Amino acid sequence: MTLKRRIFIDMDGVLATWNCDKSLEEVAMPGYYRDLLPMKNVVEAIKNIVRSEEYDVYILSSVLHDIAIRDKNYWLDTHLPEIPSVNRIYVPYGKRKCDYIGRIDYGDILLDDFSKNLREWHGIGIKLLNGINGTKGTWNGYVVNGNSNALCIKNSIMGITYMHQPAAS
């Protein structure tokens, strides 16, 4: 039996449009995450990756509090119900995402917009450019443009992961 590779997807600034003009107090308000607009091309690309059945797809997202978990689950149930609740991992704000996975294998993928998360990842990191990040040159690994069409985003992610196939045992 061949195990599927795992892909972990961030939400804020990757699946949902991040509003960098909001204060931390506004972001912490109940309902904030529920109302974020989807990045439609990225959401559609992830739906296509889920449908390919080549990966186990997970959400890996930071949260400020339990209300944010409820709001993010609502958002996912609305925009990406293909990812079941058991595949949604929420990390307390300020904590390292990689510490909430357990073992990270060489072929495990993280799609995130925050370079710090990608640098801490021990698998394959892919930065999603969303129009507000990627300006400081702090990430020099793989990059996918979130403004591309859904097919291009999906093919870019899958192409990167195919270049890193685990060795046959």
Side-chain angles (χ1 to χ4, degrees), residues 20-35:
C20 57
D21 296 329
K22 297 290 184 183
S23 69
L24 189 58
E25 291 78 23
E26 290 172 297
V27 171
M29 294 295 295
Y32 175 79
Y33 292 101
R34 291 174 63 118
D35 298 330

Side-chain angles (χ1 to χ4, degrees), residues 42-43 48 71 78 91 99 101 107 110 132 137 139 145 150 152 164 169:
V42 180
V43 169
N48 289 329
D71 286 349
T78 302
V91 177
D99 292 340
I101 302 305
L110 174 63
I132 59 174
W139 176 250
N145 189 333
C152 183
H164 294 275
S169 46

Side-chain angles (χ1 to χ4, degrees), residues 83-143:
I83 299 179
S85 59
V86 297
N87 285 24
R88 300 173 186 177
I89 302 163
Y90 296 110
V91 177
Y93 180 77
K95 301 290 185 182
R96 292 167 21 121
K97 288 182 174 182
C98 60
D99 292 340
Y100 285 78
I101 302 305
R103 179 186 164 141
I104 298 173
D105 292 324
Y106 168 78
D108 287 341
I109 303 112
L110 174 63
L111 179 66
D112 206 310
D113 63 322
F114 191 41
S115 296
K116 180 180 182 293
N117 294 334
L118 295 164
R119 283 192 303 272
E120 294 170 348
W121 193 253
H122 302 295
I124 301 165
I126 304 172
K127 183 168 187 134
L128 185 98
L129 297 180
N130 57 21
I132 59 174
N133 67 347
T135 61
K136 296 178 184 165
T138 61
W139 176 250
N140 53 7
Y142 295 113
V143 174

Side-chain angles (χ1 to χ4, degrees), residues 35-93:
D35 298 330
L36 289 178
L37 295 174
M39 293 182 64
K40 291 181 181 179
N41 293 347
V42 180
V43 169
E44 188 59 34
I46 299 307
K47 286 181 180 190
N48 289 329
I49 288 172
V50 170
R51 284 186 209 115
S52 78
E53 298 184 358
E54 293 184 45
Y55 302 89
D56 285 328
V57 181
Y58 296 85
I59 297 300
L60 183 59
S61 186
S62 295
V63 291
L64 291 168
H65 44 63
D66 289 346
I67 294 169
I69 294 172
R70 187 180 66 224
D71 286 349
K72 286 187 176 195
N73 277 325
Y74 177 88
W75 192 97
L76 287 164
D77 290 343
T78 302
H79 299 287
L80 202 56
E82 293 84 352
I83 299 179
S85 59
V86 297
N87 285 24
R88 300 173 186 177
I89 302 163
Y90 296 110
V91 177
Y93 180 77

